[in-house]
Amino acid sequence: MQIQIKRSNELISYEIPFESSTLLKALYHIKNSEDNSLTFSSSCRSGVCGTCAVRVNGKEVLACSYSIQEGDLVEPLAYHEVQRDLKVNKQKVRETLRTATAWLQTPQEALINEQQVQLTAKQTDCILCDSCYSSCPVLEVNPNFIGPFALTRAYRYTADPREGNIQAIVDNIQSNGIWDCTLCGNCTEACPQGIDPKMDITMLRGTASQFGYTDPNFQAMDFGFGGF
Amino acid sequence: MLDILIIGSGGAGLSAALSAKQQGSTVLVVGKSYPTASQTSMAQGGMNAALGNVTPDSIQAHINDTIKSAHGLCNEEMVKQMCEDAPFSIEWLEKLGVPFDRTSESKVAQRQLGGASSKRACYAQDYTGLKILHTLYDNCLKENIEMLEEHLLLNLIVEEKVVLGATFLDIVTGEVKEIKANATIIATGGYGALYKNFTTNSEGATGDGIAAVLRAGGTISNMEFVQFHPTALKSSSTLISESARGEGGYLVNTKGERFIDELLPRDVVARAIFEQINSGEEVFLDIRHLGEEKLLHLMPQEVHLCRLHEGVDPITELIPIKPVAHYTMGGIDVNENLEVTGLKNCYAVGECSNAKIHGANRLGGNSLLEIISLGRLAGNNAVGCDCHHTEIENTQLQQDQEYIDGLFEEYPYEKNFYDIQNQLGVDFYTKAGIVRDNTQLNNFLNELRVIKADLEDMGIGDKNRENNTNLVDFLEFQNLLEVGEVLLDAALVRDESRGAHYKTAFPKEEDKFFKADALYWIEENVLQNRLVKVVN
């Protein structure tokens, strides 16, 4: 089976001598026996550490959880600085978690029931693989956009009964945050954990409106009536 | 001067960091990967604490279960301390925001794990480790704890037995750096990667901290104790959770016969499967009779993994399985304050350490507890250390720089270390695995020593300094050789069967000689060992 890997803006073809294989196994085969310099990231091999996300034929996948097909084109994640071959710098992107202040701001005592846990059970499955970030078209026009995973995490804490100061999080995701999302749903499709950041962002918009925020794009719109 | 250097950014490292920071210390967490990529993320089952939220329980029962599982090789005082702290550890995590599942009375939910006399494991669906780890990470961001990722530990910096910090390879830039601190906490994880392709562990479980302590003159212990999980997929070693058997799955051989009570302890089931495989049988997990609806509802992740990695549909087909290495009980020898034996101002915690909690076999649910409870303890204990080392000159950085530079020079690349590492995985599994034999161990130890001597004929094919994962792999491979040698020697010496260590020729526990910790250290370039009787 043949696959192509993008390495320093060059597409290189490799023959993989397995009938079926995960992409990660194929990458290891190349590194171990053909070219020691092929560079990629991986760790747990079982889809939970978030390290090995790449793009195959333009779609984000975890290399450890994707079965290769004839002619696949493998590339690094988008909107990340490519350090080498498929290895990208995730540090800069992780800064969005700080920007969003995605943590309990003012922890308070609270009785939590299972329904409340289930409310954000999916969101807390996030493995920080950055697939959603790579799929987000907003980053094409606004590199400062906080992005899907940090907003999902912000939502997860606003929905936690232990949060005593929801507004602090909401305040911090206004600029380059929830209103910049186009709700295209690419992130939802890209997530290997079945998380729906688009819905989380919609929920955050609802919470924000409770604190008096409105959609700035909406305010700026002029439908020929001289605005609102 | 930095107060506390924490090496390793899994659950133990991050817990230590949060505790030390809370005490007002400056901390720096350094890891070879990103914090959330650590092995902690893979823990599924739960974290033990005798809360009694679901069934009656007591701290004493938790202590008793842990001691029983340890088969005589634990420090009962350490076990007591950890079990007593367990409820507080859960409370601490609760305050940080961990989304534990709940009972109908809105208490933290608890479930049964093997070897426990009550439903004791607090859980967050099947992602307990992942959710704990990510919540710790979020809190480290909140507390502005400095974290340096993609830095591989090279060596501890030691003068007159005092640890002054450590040297690292900055994987991104290729630079060799030193970081000095008043106290150093090692939380670098276990050595399951020795069993390459025969372990559920991540590729990074290469015993880096354990090997560094050994090279620095510190002591490591009980390296022969490795826990095997009965059911991993045959071709990929991907874990199939114990719940598959808990729900009523069968283990069958090629003839379709069941050969063991599937719900016996892990080591017993693993041995039974191993014996079947050794006698030429293939072993399968059969969950077809549970029905499609139940399987898709109860274990969708398992169904997916079988289809992906093994190419079988467990709803209609048998799942080929094998038992694989899952957890390493041995590690850096520490005292009750978690200080490393033989070194000063240096602590070790988590799977890299042997805190005499798990002894000869770890109880399910105690590993997450250890990293949180003792992680916090390590952080607290390291506060206030002062090694007065500002004037001391040290050549460690220079030595490590020279060594790394040497690897970039041309050399005869005669042997491919990746091939050797793959073969070592097979050999550790078959010769130092579930059932052990002295002749095999002895021969294999000699072979491993030959490989160590041949290291000069191996090296890196990639000569680029930046982002050189080939170099990282090679350095990790050397760590594996060092800890692997000790594992084999310790297994050879221990002529008995105890917990996870089983020898056909010595099928019983021999307390007279071997109710003892096997200590290893290097003195004048020679590996030394001593058995120290365990007295409780």
Side-chain angles (χ1 to χ4, degrees), chain B residues 37 73 87 107 110 171 181 204 208 238 282 337 489 514 525 530:
Chain B
L73 289 196
K107 292 176 179 170
Q110 298 186 279
I171 297 169
D208 305 334
T238 309
E282 265 191 283
N337 295 321
D489 195 77
F514 297 112
N525 291 322
R530 189 158 62 99

Side-chain angles (χ1 to χ4, degrees), chain A residues 192-214:
Chain A
Q193 293 287 79
I195 300 166
D196 187 355
K198 175 188 165 187
M199 180 54 80
D200 299 336
I201 292 166
T202 309
M203 298 293 279
L204 282 170
R205 287 181 177 184
T207 313
S209 66
Q210 290 167 23
F211 289 102
Y213 286 106
T214 52

Side-chain angles (χ1 to χ4, degrees), chain A residues 28 31-32 36 42-43 45 84 87 90-91 94 98 104 112 114 121 124-125 153 156-157 162, chain B residues 34 36 94 97-98 101-102 131 134 138 142 149-150 199 201 203 413 416 462 466-467 469:
Chain A
Y28 264 108
K31 187 174 186 67
N32 292 5
N36 287 171
S42 72
S43 180
R45 301 172 290 114
R84 207 174 156 191
K87 182 173 183 287
K90 289 188 169 177
Q91 182 47 38
R94 292 256 171 130
R98 284 188 208 269
L104 283 183
I112 305 171
E114 182 62 12
T124 52
D125 284 350
R153 198 162 285 224
R156 165 253 187 280
Y157 283 108
R162 286 166 288 198
Chain B
Y34 283 81
T36 51
E94 278 267 278
V98 173
D101 274 300
R102 303 283 153 169
K131 295 188 185 197
H134 280 245
D138 294 344
K142 179 183 178 182
E149 65 285 327
E150 301 208 74
T199 177
N201 287 189
E203 299 147 6
Y413 187 6
N416 180 348
D462 182 0
E466 293 175 15
N467 296 292
T469 52

Side-chain angles (χ1 to χ4, degrees), chain A residues 141-209:
Chain A
V141 288
N142 179 10
N144 294 320
F145 178 46
I146 291 174
F149 69 77
L151 290 173
T152 278
R153 198 162 285 224
Y155 169 67
R156 165 253 187 280
Y157 283 108
T158 62
D160 195 310
R162 286 166 288 198
E163 179 56 84
N165 186 5
I166 295 171
Q167 191 177 351
I169 299 179
V170 172
D171 288 349
N172 292 333
I173 52 173
Q174 295 301 312
S175 172
N176 296 314
I178 48 175
W179 309 107
D180 289 51
C181 169
T182 61
L183 304 180
C184 73
N186 279 7
C187 51
T188 304
E189 199 187 327
C191 179
Q193 293 287 79
I195 300 166
D196 187 355
K198 175 188 165 187
M199 180 54 80
D200 299 336
I201 292 166
T202 309
M203 298 293 279
L204 282 170
R205 287 181 177 184
T207 313
S209 66

Side-chain angles (χ1 to χ4, degrees), chain B residues 131-237:
Chain B
K131 295 188 185 197
I132 289 176
L133 180 66
H134 280 245
T135 308
L136 291 172
Y137 177 65
D138 294 344
N139 279 276
C140 286
L141 292 176
K142 179 183 178 182
E143 299 301 331
N144 226 354
I145 287 173
E146 202 184 335
M147 291 179 270
L148 206 52
E149 65 285 327
E150 301 208 74
H151 279 63
L152 175 70
L153 169 65
L154 295 174
N155 280 296
L156 297 172
I157 303 170
V158 186
E159 279 297 331
E160 290 167 0
K161 296 282 179 191
V162 180
V163 174
L164 312 174
T167 57
F168 296 90
L169 171 73
D170 179 336
I171 297 169
V172 175
T173 66
E175 288 169 83
V176 178
K177 297 175 177 173
E178 69 175 4
I179 300 173
K180 291 190 171 179
N182 278 315
T184 300
I185 298 176
I186 304 169
T188 46
Y191 46 97
L194 266 178
Y195 296 81
K196 193 177 177 188
N197 298 323
F198 297 89
T199 177
T200 58
N201 287 189
S202 74
E203 299 147 6
T206 48
D208 305 334
I210 303 170
V213 163
L214 198 59
R215 290 192 295 267
T219 300
I220 67 177
S221 61
N222 295 357
M223 295 293 287
E224 65 274 38
F225 291 102
V226 178
Q227 184 177 76
F228 285 79
H229 195 287
T231 54
L233 293 179
K234 191 181 172 192
S235 51
S236 65
S237 294

